């Protein structure tokens, strides 16, 4: 990973959202570990709830005033408790469960506290799980018939007032659950969008990494062949300074041509790195199976003994991607043979038909003399194995019984 994917903080007008929602959506707000501060919307909603509790409490106080059988002291106490309950509404965000539990006995002894009790029930439904709401609502519904049996309404029949009170309690609980589900949906959608953004960043980073690996693999496949020619012929000139002029001139020509080709290939790869999506690919076309004979001829010109056994009648009919992979396999096989078995005769065999696939074999016998170790040996074969796997085929490399080495590959060739 080149770095962590940045997580965006909450965007938008904070004063329009509940503080609880901002606390869920904003990672910075959660990092502090403190309670979320009320927004302007929270203050407006809290004042509205307080005002509603006062209005409903005033209506309850008027009902208490008309209860002839209720002593004056209890009526005053009822109003006093209701006023304290209305004031407690401002604590609903901090202790929603505790306030709802406290309101059960309070609303049972004070009709004036009915509005505050409904606000507490609504707050509980919004901020706490359903199991808490179910217990509080169940107890409240169970106490409704008892309350109106002890303190009947002076204007409505007992059954009607009990049903209305129960329906109103259920309505408040359902409204709170609706608000809670809406907030949970908002948080879920925001979290899903955040995860999608993070995953998109990871996919882009992975695509960049794969592109770098593909470019590195291509650079190895392209340049290893050229640079090996340079190394072999430069070494020959170093250890045989008394060679005939014709041989020295031929080796120098191979060195010059290989260096020119290597520079040209390197310029093309750098051009691919610099090109944008809208640029046209101006480089040379990538070699395919049709260029295999030219590759063998180049190796022979460099002094290798190569036998090409090509049984593919029309190399141009091989799909371009398969042909490029086959070419790179043969190129890497020749490069390895030149490095590890100098002077040995190399056989390149290619067979295949549409539908049956394409087989590529590069074999060299044991070297005539022990070859010096070459740094980085085996890296090209690892890259070729991955390349063949990505193309849908497979590649094996193994030592043979005669002390030589063989590279075998099979690539898919779909039927026409």
């Amino acid at each position: 990973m080149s770095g962590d994917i940045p997580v965006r903080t909450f965007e938008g007008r904070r004063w329009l959202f509940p503080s609880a929602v901002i606390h869920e959506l904003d990672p910075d707000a959660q990092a502090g570990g403190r309670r979320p501060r009320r927004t302007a919307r929270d203050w407006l909603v809290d004042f509205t709830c307080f005002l509603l509790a006062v209005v409903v409490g005033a209506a309850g106080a008027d009902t208490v005033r008309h209860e002839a059988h209720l002593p004056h002291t209890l009526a005053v106490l009822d109003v006093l408790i209701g006023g304290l309950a209305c004031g407690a509404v401002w604590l609903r965000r901090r202790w929603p469960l505790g306030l709802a539990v406290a309101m059960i006995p309070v609303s049972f002894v004070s009709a004036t506290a009915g509005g505050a009790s409904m606000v507490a029930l609504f707050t509980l439904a919004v901020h706490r799980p359903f199991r808490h709401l179910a217990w509080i609502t169940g107890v409240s519904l169970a106490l409704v018939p008892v309350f109106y049996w002890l303190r009947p309404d002076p204007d409505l029949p007992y059954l009607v007032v009990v049903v209305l009170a129960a329906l109103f309690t259920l309505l408040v609980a359902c409204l709170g659950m609706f608000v809670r589900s809406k907030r949970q949906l908002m948080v879920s959608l925001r979290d899903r969008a955040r995860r999608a953004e993070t995953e998109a960043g990871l996919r882009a980073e992975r695509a960049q990494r794969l592109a770098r690996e593909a470019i590195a693999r291509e650079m190895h496949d392209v340049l290893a062949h050229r640079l090996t020619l340079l190394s072999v012929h430069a070494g020959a000139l170093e250890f045989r300074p008394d060679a005939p002029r014709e041989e020295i001139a031929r080796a120098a020509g191979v060195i010059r041509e290989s260096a020119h080709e290597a520079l040209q290939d390197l310029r093309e790869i750098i051009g691919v790195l610099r090109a944008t999506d809208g640029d046209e690919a101006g480089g040379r076309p990538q070699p395919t199976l049709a260029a295999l004979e030219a590759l063998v001829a180049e190796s022979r010109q460099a002094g290798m003994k190569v036998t090409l056994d090509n049984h593919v009648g029309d190399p141009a009919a091989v799909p371009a991607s398969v042909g490029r992979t086959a070419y790179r396999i043969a190129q890497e096989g020749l490069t390895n043979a030149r490095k590890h078995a100098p002077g040995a005769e190399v056989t390149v065999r290619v067979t295949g038909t549409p539908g049956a696939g394409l087989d590529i074999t590069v074999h060299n016998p044991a070297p005539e003399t022990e070859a010096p170790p070459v740094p980085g040996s085996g890296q090209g074969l690892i890259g070729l194995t991955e390349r063949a796997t990505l193309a849908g085929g497979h590649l094996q490399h193994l030592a043979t019984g005669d002390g030589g080495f063989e590279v075998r590959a099979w690539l898919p060739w779909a039927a026409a």
Side-chain angles (χ1 to χ4, degrees):
M1 292 289 179
S2 60
D4 295 333
I5 303 299
V7 179
R8 294 185 178 180
T9 58
F10 181 83
E11 297 177 356
R13 300 179 179 178
R14 289 175 174 260
W15 64 274
L16 285 176
F17 292 85
S19 58
V21 173
I22 295 178
H23 188 71
E24 291 290 338
L25 297 179
D26 193 350
D28 293 340
Q30 299 179 10
R34 297 178 298 178
R35 292 178 54 252
R37 298 182 59 182
R38 290 180 182 174
T39 63
R41 180 188 181 279
D42 290 340
W43 285 106
L44 179 61
V45 172
D46 289 347
F47 181 77
T48 302
C49 289
F50 171 75
L51 186 61
L52 181 62
V54 171
V55 171
V56 175
D62 184 68
T63 303
V64 171
R65 188 167 57 88
H66 289 84
E67 292 185 32
H69 63 283
L70 187 67
H72 178 71
T73 303
L74 292 181
V76 173
L77 185 60
D78 187 303
V79 174
L80 180 60
I81 293 176
L84 293 176
C86 291
V89 166
W90 290 101
L91 303 176
R92 68 188 190 92
R93 294 183 183 274
R94 189 163 190 173
W95 296 297
L97 180 58
L99 181 62
V101 172
M103 282 300 164
I104 293 177
V106 168
S107 61
F108 186 74
V109 300
S110 173
T112 314
S117 177
M118 292 298 102
V119 171
L121 184 63
F122 173 80
T123 305
L124 180 68
V126 172
H127 294 280
R128 290 297 181 265
F130 176 75
R131 63 180 183 275
H132 297 154
L133 177 65
W135 279 103
I136 300 299
T137 304
V139 174
S140 299
L141 291 176
L143 291 178
V144 166
V146 179
F147 177 83
Y148 286 104
W149 179 264
L150 298 175
R151 301 179 62 176
D153 190 279
D155 300 324
L156 296 174
Y158 171 76
L159 183 60
V160 173
V161 73
V162 169
V163 171
L164 289 178
L167 290 177
F168 187 72
T169 302
L170 291 175
L171 178 62
V172 172
C174 291
L175 181 60
M177 287 191 297
F178 172 75
V179 174
R180 176 178 174 82
S181 63
K182 185 178 178 181
R183 290 186 179 182
Q184 288 179 336
L185 177 62
M186 182 188 303
V187 173
S188 175
L189 292 177
R190 183 62 179 254
D191 185 63
R192 187 179 302 175
R194 185 177 295 163
R195 286 202 307 269
E197 183 179 357
T198 303
E199 291 173 0
L202 293 176
R203 285 195 299 269
E205 186 174 338
R206 182 173 181 271
Q208 291 177 352
R209 185 176 68 253
L210 292 177
R212 294 190 191 103
E213 292 175 357
I215 291 172
R217 187 165 53 244
E218 193 70 19
M219 289 182 68
H220 177 275
D221 293 342
V222 169
L223 297 179
H225 182 74
R226 310 290 183 189
L227 297 181
T228 301
L229 289 178
L230 285 172
S231 176
V232 170
H233 286 84
L237 292 178
E238 179 182 4
F239 290 104
R240 293 193 58 192
D242 56 344
R245 291 177 55 86
E246 294 78 8
E247 186 174 345
I248 294 177
R250 184 172 62 85
V254 172
I255 292 174
R256 179 185 61 80
E257 184 66 23
S258 298
H260 175 75
E261 293 291 338
L263 288 175
Q264 185 66 21
D265 293 335
L266 186 59
R267 289 192 190 100
E268 291 181 3
I269 294 174
I270 298 300
V272 171
L273 291 174
R274 291 178 176 175
T276 59
D277 293 339
D279 295 337
E280 295 182 359
R284 295 178 297 177
Q286 293 294 317
T288 60
L289 193 62
L292 187 58
E293 293 186 1
L295 174 67
V296 171
E298 181 182 14
S299 299
R300 289 170 178 167
Q301 184 181 0
M304 288 188 67
K305 302 175 183 178
V306 184
T307 301
L308 176 61
D309 190 8
N310 191 352
H311 293 273
V312 178
D314 185 11
V318 179
S321 60
V322 177
R324 281 195 299 271
T325 303
Y327 179 89
R328 295 304 182 195
I329 292 173
Q331 186 182 53
E332 180 65 22
L334 291 173
T335 301
N336 285 338
R338 184 182 298 113
K339 290 190 295 186
H340 303 291
E345 184 176 358
V346 184
T347 302
V348 179
R349 179 179 176 85
V350 182
T351 60
T353 56
L358 194 67
D359 291 287
I360 307 99
T361 304
V362 181
H363 172 78
N364 63 268
E368 298 177 356
T369 58
E370 184 177 356
V374 180
S377 300
Q379 298 301 316
L381 293 175
I382 295 175
L384 283 182
T385 303
E386 182 180 358
R387 181 190 288 268
T389 302
L390 292 176
H394 53 80
L395 183 141
Q396 294 179 327
H397 48 87
L398 65 160
T400 58
D402 58 356
F405 194 79
E406 188 171 270
V407 177
R408 303 173 185 171
W410 176 87
L411 300 174
W413 182 0

